[in-house]
Amino acid sequence: MSKRRIKKVAIIGSGIMGSGIACHFANIGVDVLLLDIIPRELNDAEKAKGLTLEDKAVRNRIVNDSLTASLKSKPSPIYDQSFASRITTGNLEDDIAKVKNVDWIMEVVVERLDIKKQVFGKLEKHRTPGTLITSNTSGIPIHFMNEGRSEDFQKHFCGTHFFNPARYLKLFEIIPGPKTSQDVLDFLNNYGEKFLGKTSVIAKDTPAFIGNRIGIFGIQSLFHQVKEMDLTVEEVDKLTGPVIGRPKSATFRTVDVVGLDTLVHVANGIYDNAPEDEAHELFKLPDFINTMVENKWLGSKTGQGFYKKEGKDIRTLDLNTLEYRDRKSAQFATLELTKTVDKVIDRFPILISGKDKAGEFYRKNFAAMFTYVANRIPEITDELYKIDDAMKAGFGWEHGPFQIWDAVGVEKGIELMKAEGLKPAAWVTEMLESGNKSFYTIKEGNTFFYNIPSKKQEKVPGQDAFIILDNIRKSKEVYKNSGVVVEDLGDGILNVEFQSKMNTIGGDVLSGLNKAIDLAEKDFAGLVVGNQAANFSVGANIGMIFMMAAEQEYDELNMAIKYFQDTMMRMRYSAIPTIAAPHGMALGGGCELSMHADKVVAAAETYIGLVEFGVGVIPGGGGSKEMALRAQDTFRKGDVELNTLQEYFLTVAMAKVSTSAYEAFDLGILQKGKDIVVVNKDRQLATAKAHAQLMADAGYTQPIKRTDIKVLGKQALGMFMVGTDAMEDSNYISEHDRKIANKLAYVMAGGDLSEPTLVSEQYLLDLEREAFLSLCTERKTLERIQHMLKTGKPLRN
């Protein structure tokens, strides 16, 4: 294994991509030197201040303005604004010598070979031999870039292609040059996955590499298909969105966000540089795209593309007339048939057998895609799983093309091709003849892929650091009910995986959690609560709460809330270590569960918070109690205790949600020194399991229930109530908001006790449950819950 360490990187070029990459290195704790060119002339503000071109503020203006704009952009490129202090800015004249002190230099300048070569010439004068040097290019051949450079430069040089935005998209393509050393490739492959949290894919030096070669083919293929099948923009976006496991933005909205000019640039690059490609003509832009580019209808950046916002309305481009019209809804009978099929992978056989336009669309679309990806091996990669990895990580597909082909059946896929006058690559036919009926197989919890040269199924490398629940669920199941599956992760650790819609927490999930704790206490050493769905949990099942409250079944509701609270307390006070592994949305009850685990192993992309105010209640599963407890645990001698309590109160009352796991530390939801963050979500469950083992091996003992929680009583309650009155008077909150806030204040102050007192957790839980129940009797709360159930959005009433 390489002994190389990355302590400091230099990013050359501070545009959207350069600043985004700089922020992501800062996210993982690396020191960054961000450099860009100096301006040629003063701007008006600089002239007004009497500055000259020699002033440092002027010389660093381009880099500083770019980084500032990036840090202000949404979604944010940085986990926590304080991490920006890890980035030092400078310019390519005064500061270029500083690159001699870095471990990795990455060039992210404009996509022009002549400019890139000039930059490399400058960098080589100052670079320390042995330093990694890479180019973040989306398509310029790597072998052109290192021409004329020294032996050491060429040995340590390759392409490292991040996808934009660098924080959120997981694909990290590594493209070797003719002389790149194997050690450099191995190091970057491991570093991308382990430290940057990416899916690393080593690609060949071919036009647009892997992700964009296949992705742009898919989009270009659609551009031609739209005309041929007379489909509307809305129809295509309906057919190519979540129904097939693709992002909500589907095709045309994605192009608007990315920018049509970017797409055209890559498509032209493939057209010019891949003349041997059998689909060469497909990369030629259709007339409507050329017209859009001429009109500067490039998408979001120019205010119009395939969609255009006019006032509050979003209008759509008619591809025949090239005029904007009102949006039309798209409906297909075939899609209706998939509504009851939860797993995307199970929908593909249904979609291709559709009798309507949608069925025809999928048959044509998949036939073209299957043919194209099979023909790209061995041109762009030797291994088929790399194509799937690239499409999932770079384009947000839930399943790669070969996984989809397996889902419809390899032979069925060939039938679709033949119906379109296409034929499969020779290796696919050979695969079937060799007795292999699928591209992938699962054995003993591991994924195997068909290796073309050996004609055998071989293990996909790098899985040892991962636990993939889909692969082990059937063989390692210990218990199951309608809400959870409990799996044996090995080494004495159980995992409880929610299986409800959006992983909401209702009676079946709570009974499954209790059962998992029973099993773990009896025969195992620890318990992880984790899943690999899009979100950890969006909270309690508010539909169930609404039904009970509307029917005025208050005794049942009281018991349901108590059951939730008791289960959370079992998470904390069981005889085995409990680890929560939140990721994506961990809201309301999902947040409360995390806060009651012995330790949280959170994915960096975790959006966690107590959001109950949005549905007219306070946190009732121990969240209100926990915030009061945590506030008092941070009281320090001589502190103004009211101020500390107020911070925790406001976190709940304003329904604050972290924009990353790191921000959750600032909100008091995660705890420093106890909870940890994992950048690569694929490693999360394996890391959570390892921490459960460590705690068990260290001799975990059951904690003693808390009876020492200091509450401030009337002193705090009075302050909170004055504040909520003032906020209602200034129309900042509604009357019902004030009522909810006052209920929360009552719980977090410990009631209207005449002086500060030590109380138990159970005392606070009883206050919390009483407050929650009383709010469920309010008409305005029921209106809020109903509105959330209908629209998914909070109501202010």
Side-chain angles (χ1 to χ4, degrees):
M1 233 11 232
S2 172
K3 297 269 191 302
R4 200 181 277 280
R5 294 266 182 278
I6 303 295
K7 292 180 284 220
K8 188 160 190 173
V9 300
I11 307 290
I12 314 300
S14 67
I16 290 171
M17 202 72 224
S19 287
I21 294 169
C23 286
H24 195 55
F25 273 101
N27 281 339
I28 64 163
V30 175
D31 258 352
V32 184
L33 175 66
L34 181 63
L35 304 180
D36 212 321
I37 56 173
I38 58 171
R40 296 219 178 101
E41 53 192 36
L42 296 170
N43 63 25
D44 292 343
E46 288 160 346
K47 285 175 191 164
K49 285 181 186 166
L51 297 174
T52 71
L53 286 170
E54 295 312 305
D55 284 302
K56 192 174 177 190
V58 176
R59 293 174 78 77
N60 287 353
R61 185 220 314 147
I62 290 173
V63 67
N64 287 336
D65 285 359
S66 297
L67 180 60
T68 302
S70 183
L71 289 167
K72 283 182 181 168
S73 66
K74 284 198 168 44
S76 175
I78 205 146
Y79 291 151
D80 192 297
Q81 290 293 327
S82 65
F83 293 0
S85 63
R86 297 168 182 167
I87 304 171
T88 307
T89 56
N91 66 71
L92 282 167
E93 291 186 20
D94 306 331
D95 303 291
I96 194 161
K98 292 177 183 170
V99 302
K100 71 173 184 289
N101 302 321
V102 307
D103 308 297
W104 179 354
I105 302 167
M106 189 183 303
E107 164 276 308
V108 199
V109 302
V110 66
E111 284 284 86
R112 266 182 51 190
L113 182 61
D114 55 337
I115 294 176
K116 287 185 187 285
K117 289 182 94 165
Q118 278 172 28
V119 169
F120 293 136
K122 280 185 181 179
L123 290 169
E124 186 151 28
K125 289 181 189 142
H126 301 283
R127 169 186 168 268
T128 301
T131 303
L132 293 174
I133 180 150
T134 69
S135 171
N136 185 72
T137 176
S138 57
I140 296 178
I142 305 302
H143 58 273
F144 289 159
M145 287 192 217
N146 62 4
E147 285 168 352
R149 302 268 70 87
S150 69
E151 189 72 21
D152 184 84
F153 187 106
Q154 293 194 40
K155 193 174 142 192
H156 293 92
F157 177 77
C158 65
T160 45
H161 181 211
F162 284 86
F163 275 55
N164 187 28
R167 167 181 165 182
Y168 297 96
L169 285 182
K170 284 197 65 175
L171 183 55
F172 179 61
E173 289 181 316
I174 301 156
I175 311 97
K179 294 188 178 170
T180 311
S181 89
Q182 189 58 42
D183 174 61
V184 165
L185 297 175
D186 292 344
F187 173 80
L188 287 168
N189 192 39
N190 180 57
Y191 189 87
E193 187 265 309
K194 191 171 178 183
F195 294 94
L196 291 164
K198 301 295 176 197
T199 299
S200 301
V201 175
I202 295 178
K204 294 189 181 182
D205 189 9
T206 54
F209 316 130
I210 298 178
N212 277 336
R213 181 72 172 273
I214 306 301
I216 300 298
F217 165 81
I219 292 170
Q220 285 288 118
S221 172
L222 273 175
F223 284 167
H224 292 283
Q225 217 178 330
V226 165
K227 286 295 204 187
E228 185 193 325
M229 289 188 66
D230 193 29
L231 290 160
T232 66
V233 165
E234 293 95 338
E235 285 175 329
V236 171
D237 276 357
K238 180 91 170 175
L239 294 167
T240 58
V243 69
I244 56 167
R246 308 277 165 87
K248 259 197 205 127
S249 52
T251 301
F252 290 115
R253 199 172 285 289
T254 299
V255 173
D256 274 358
V257 171
V258 172
L260 189 59
D261 50 341
T262 306
L263 178 98
V264 164
H265 172 76
V266 183
N268 285 338
I270 299 171
Y271 185 80
D272 295 342
N273 296 308
E276 305 298 309
D277 190 317
E278 78 285 352
H280 185 244
E281 286 311 297
L282 206 79
F283 290 97
K284 218 181 205 166
L285 298 164
D287 292 342
F288 72 90
I289 297 291
N290 286 322
T291 307
M292 287 175 74
V293 173
E294 280 163 28
N295 291 350
K296 298 247 184 307
W297 296 350
L298 306 178
S300 308
K301 63 176 90 172
T302 58
Q304 62 191 101
F306 292 103
Y307 294 95
K308 179 185 183 181
K309 198 164 185 192
E310 290 183 5
K312 285 190 174 173
D313 298 325
I314 293 173
R315 307 192 78 214
T316 313
L317 189 67
D318 184 309
L319 299 179
N320 295 316
T321 63
L322 288 190
E323 285 171 0
Y324 288 93
R325 54 159 176 77
D326 290 340
R327 284 164 80 184
K328 296 176 181 170
S329 73
Q331 302 279 315
F332 296 98
T334 296
L335 298 193
E336 295 301 313
L337 299 175
T338 64
K339 278 200 168 156
T340 53
V341 182
D342 285 341
K343 286 201 165 154
V344 171
I345 199 76
D346 298 333
R347 294 175 192 161
F348 294 109
I350 301 166
L351 295 173
I352 58 161
S353 55
K355 304 280 188 281
D356 57 358
K357 210 176 192 180
E360 186 192 348
F361 170 84
Y362 288 121
R363 289 189 289 275
K364 284 178 181 293
N365 191 278
F366 291 143
M369 179 58 81
F370 296 163
T371 309
Y372 193 72
V373 292
N375 284 337
R376 297 287 67 74
I377 299 173
E379 181 201 346
I380 64 174
T381 177
D382 296 320
E383 294 92 3
L384 60 89
Y385 72 85
K386 288 185 178 174
I387 289 177
D388 282 354
D389 280 355
M391 297 319 296
K392 291 190 288 186
F395 284 78
W397 293 14
E398 198 171 318
H399 305 286
F402 289 106
Q403 289 174 313
I404 296 170
W405 195 344
D406 264 353
V408 302
V410 179
E411 282 154 332
K412 181 69 184 171
I414 293 170
E415 264 179 49
L416 299 182
M417 291 177 187
K418 288 181 174 164
E420 293 300 320
L422 301 165
K423 66 174 201 279
W427 69 263
V428 179
T429 315
E430 282 170 22
M431 177 182 96
L432 291 171
E433 285 165 358
S434 72
N436 285 283
K437 296 295 177 208
S438 63
F439 300 110
Y440 295 100
T441 50
I442 307 292
K443 291 181 219 162
E444 291 162 7
N446 289 306
T447 306
F448 287 70
F449 75 103
Y450 176 72
N451 187 326
I452 297 161
S454 73
K455 297 190 181 175
K456 284 197 195 92
Q457 293 275 345
E458 293 183 11
K459 191 171 157 186
V460 175
Q463 289 176 80
D464 301 334
F466 304 154
I467 291 170
I468 302 165
L469 292 176
D470 280 350
N471 290 0
I472 67 166
R473 195 176 293 111
K474 282 194 177 76
S475 60
K476 302 289 183 184
E477 184 186 299
V478 177
Y479 170 80
K480 182 180 185 179
N481 70 13
S482 57
V484 304
V485 178
V486 180
E487 300 106 347
D488 181 356
L489 299 182
D491 304 305
I493 307 300
L494 283 182
N495 179 71
V496 57
E497 177 188 13
F498 297 177
Q499 297 265 298
S500 52
K501 193 175 167 85
M502 295 285 280
N503 289 336
T504 52
I505 304 171
D508 48 356
V509 169
L510 292 172
S511 89
L513 257 174
N514 278 292
K515 179 70 176 174
I517 295 170
D518 289 342
L519 291 166
E521 286 183 328
K522 185 168 174 281
D523 296 317
F524 293 84
L527 178 71
V528 173
V529 182
N531 62 68
Q532 289 166 330
N535 297 298
F536 177 68
S537 171
V538 297
N541 181 342
I542 58 169
M544 180 191 76
I545 294 167
F546 179 77
M547 293 290 288
M548 288 184 188
E551 299 287 332
Q552 297 184 4
E553 292 171 348
Y554 298 126
D555 286 345
E556 284 91 335
L557 187 52
N558 182 40
M559 284 168 67
I561 304 159
K562 186 161 188 332
Y563 190 34
F564 201 127
Q565 290 181 339
D566 291 349
T567 306
M568 297 304 102
M569 293 296 275
R570 268 208 89 190
M571 283 283 293
R572 173 158 299 166
Y573 294 109
S574 62
I576 38 97
T578 57
I579 312 280
H583 60 87
M585 287 193 279
L587 305 175
C591 176
E592 287 174 307
L593 186 146
S594 301
M595 291 170 81
H596 283 84
D598 288 310
K599 189 181 195 77
V600 178
V601 174
E605 297 302 341
T606 299
Y607 317 114
I608 187 166
L610 297 164
V611 295
E612 285 83 352
F613 262 59
V615 290
V617 291
I618 67 166
S624 304
K625 172 273 300 179
E626 189 62 17
M627 286 310 240
L629 182 153
R630 290 187 180 194
Q632 90 93 44
D633 281 353
T634 56
F635 291 167
R636 294 286 170 266
K637 207 171 176 186
D639 269 2
V640 181
E641 293 172 342
L642 280 171
N643 292 357
T644 304
L645 187 63
Q646 185 176 24
E647 274 179 45
Y648 281 83
F649 171 80
L650 287 173
T651 294
V652 184
M654 295 171 78
K656 289 181 183 176
V657 176
S658 72
T659 64
S660 74
Y662 286 100
E663 250 189 40
F665 287 106
D666 302 336
L667 298 176
I669 289 167
L670 295 187
Q671 295 179 295
K672 288 182 174 134
K674 185 183 99 150
D675 300 329
I676 64 161
V677 178
V678 176
V679 179
N680 190 335
K681 188 175 147 219
D682 294 339
R683 285 177 168 254
Q684 186 184 14
L685 281 183
T687 306
K689 175 191 165 184
H691 278 276
Q693 279 176 274
L694 274 173
M695 290 170 78
D697 293 347
Y700 179 84
T701 50
Q702 190 164 335
I704 295 164
K705 291 194 175 173
R706 298 281 300 269
T707 54
D708 61 343
I709 304 156
K710 184 179 180 182
V711 291
L712 303 178
K714 277 184 173 162
Q715 181 192 357
L717 193 54
M719 177 192 74
F720 287 141
M721 287 184 163
V722 168
T724 57
D725 282 349
M727 287 171 89
E728 190 193 353
D729 289 344
S730 56
N731 289 327
Y732 188 73
I733 60 174
S734 70
E735 184 191 350
H736 194 54
D737 289 329
R738 180 174 65 88
K739 188 173 274 184
I740 308 164
N742 286 346
K743 293 277 187 191
L744 175 69
Y746 191 83
V747 177
M748 290 185 71
D752 56 1
L753 302 169
S754 55
E755 59 185 31
T757 309
L758 298 183
V759 299
S760 68
E761 276 182 273
Q762 193 56 54
Y763 171 83
L764 288 173
L765 285 169
D766 292 343
L767 287 184
E768 175 188 281
R769 193 169 72 256
E770 199 181 305
F772 187 98
L773 264 174
S774 69
L775 284 166
C776 287
T777 66
E778 299 277 345
R779 183 176 56 82
K780 287 194 169 174
T781 289
L782 294 184
E783 284 170 5
R784 286 191 182 194
I785 297 177
Q786 192 171 25
H787 190 267
M788 179 63 80
L789 287 168
K790 270 189 184 164
T791 67
K793 295 189 175 83
L795 170 72
R796 294 297 298 274
N797 58 355

